[in-house]
Amino acid sequence: MSINQRVKQVRQSLNLSQAKFAKALSISNGYIAGIELEHNHVNDRLVKLICFTFHVRESWLKTGEGNMFEEKQDQLIEMASAAFKELKPEYQDYILKQIDQLLDIQNREKGE
């Protein structure tokens, strides 16, 4: 399966028309139609845009390997990591201590 076919597969799995898919990406309907007919090339910019907009895994879009969509867990980790990086070092230490305490509680609950 080509990258063009995978773009079409993404659109179809989201139940979007070519027009709605194109609008979400801020590109023309004709360009999407051309991609799906394999007349237009899928460039790196479009790959990044599709992945960002629809939470598609870039490796899947490029190669077809693995899952089509990012795991919800991956998104949560990215959000937590970004927020953590914004904190002052002393607040980062506090968060790490809180995580340790939550892990202790969780482990105790498993032992019950």
Side-chain angles (χ1 to χ4, degrees):
M1 179 183 293
S2 71
I3 190 169
N4 295 55
Q5 292 167 328
R6 285 190 292 277
V7 169
K8 182 176 182 177
Q9 189 176 353
V10 168
R11 181 185 64 75
Q12 290 175 332
S13 72
L14 295 168
N15 294 317
L16 295 174
S17 66
Q18 287 181 343
K20 288 182 180 179
F21 190 72
K23 184 175 181 179
L25 298 171
S26 298
I27 60 177
S28 73
N29 302 359
Y31 195 78
I32 290 296
I35 285 172
E36 292 185 7
L37 294 170
E38 305 219 13
H39 298 307
N40 292 342
H41 176 72
V42 179
N43 61 31
D44 284 337
R45 181 183 163 277
L46 184 57
V47 167
K48 299 262 187 232
L49 192 56
I50 290 170
C51 293
F52 178 79
T53 304
F54 300 111
H55 304 289
V56 173
R57 291 182 58 250
E58 187 172 340
S59 61
W60 178 85
L61 190 55
K62 288 182 174 181
T63 68
E65 295 177 12
N67 295 324
M68 180 186 302
F69 294 104
E70 293 177 354
E71 299 281 331
K72 179 78 171 168
Q73 193 69 21
D74 293 343
Q75 294 172 8
L76 291 174
I77 290 171
E78 284 181 34
M79 288 171 48
S81 178
F84 185 81
K85 289 176 185 177
E86 295 292 318
L87 295 172
K88 294 179 183 178
E90 59 269 22
Y91 294 148
Q92 289 177 344
D93 290 339
Y94 176 78
I95 293 295
L96 292 173
K97 288 175 187 173
Q98 294 299 308
I99 290 171
D100 284 339
Q101 288 178 354
L102 288 170
L103 287 170
D104 286 343
I105 292 168
Q106 179 176 283
N107 289 335
R108 277 186 261 136
E109 287 176 352
K110 285 180 184 177
E112 291 179 350

